Amino acid sequence: MSTGPLVSILMGSKSDWEVMKSAPEILAKFGVSCESKVLSAHRTPKEAEAYISAAEGRGTKVIIAAAGGAAHLAGACAAHTTLPVLGVPMEGWALKGLDALLSTVQMPPGMPVGTLAIGKPGAINAALLAVQILATSDKALSQKLKDYRDENRKKILAEKLE
Ligand code: RP5
């Protein structure tokens, strides 16, 4: 029986939450179930592996993994599942997140991680991309995405400059 969320949002530290909370906010707009958890590739490796290995069996369809610095969480997730893994590099404490971006994006061939932008834009787009993945087999969700784009388009066109 599927007991898990459609999307799992993992992050290496509670300090990532301020940025990553944008992801569940977006998923909620689309009525997509999710679970947000702190699990670290380095600090809680066994628990991270156990959680990821069980994800597909729980009915989860997409994993979002965020980490900063030597950001190995998304790659470690990819190593333990064939579910799509979307990586979000956190800005962290140095190098403005370039370290996390490169750590997340430079996966070896055969082990893909879809890497988004650094920080909040990446958190938002990871959630939207997760919805887009789910929408390939869900017509109602696909329509919601089209409506969302249309709302944004109208908002931009209505913007006035001083
Ligand atoms: C990474 O180290 C985390 O994802 C976080 O972005 C960064 C700093 O973690 P804390 O020292 O704030 O817990 O693993």
Side-chain angles (χ1 to χ4, degrees), residues 30-93:
F30 289 91
V32 170
S33 62
C34 71
E35 177 170 81
S36 301
K37 272 183 96 63
V38 175
L39 280 172
S40 164
H42 304 128
R43 292 164 171 166
T44 64
K46 289 192 176 121
E47 292 80 0
E49 179 185 346
Y51 180 87
I52 288 297
S53 300
E56 189 172 358
R58 293 175 69 214
T60 296
K61 302 291 185 202
V62 184
I63 308 286
I64 295 174
H72 296 138
L73 183 60
C77 288
H80 294 297
T81 185
T82 53
L83 293 174
V85 177
L86 307 179
V88 185
M90 295 287 94
E91 194 170 317
W93 64 95

Side-chain angles (χ1 to χ4, degrees), residues 6-7 27 29-33 59 61-62 128-147:
L6 284 174
V7 179
L27 293 170
K29 278 190 210 292
F30 289 91
V32 170
S33 62
K61 302 291 185 202
V62 184
L128 286 170
L129 195 49
V131 176
Q132 289 180 211
I133 291 168
L134 295 169
T136 58
S137 58
D138 183 333
K139 276 200 172 147
L141 203 50
S142 176
Q143 187 55 52
K144 281 189 195 176
L145 278 163
K146 289 176 177 63
D147 295 344

Side-chain angles (χ1 to χ4, degrees), residues 91-134:
E91 194 170 317
W93 64 95
L95 309 176
K96 299 208 176 294
L98 186 59
D99 46 358
L101 173 63
L102 296 178
S103 305
T104 305
V105 79
Q106 287 288 51
M107 289 296 290
M111 201 54 70
V113 164
T115 303
L116 285 301
I118 297 167
K120 188 171 173 180
I124 291 168
N125 280 346
L128 286 170
L129 195 49
V131 176
Q132 289 180 211
I133 291 168
L134 295 169

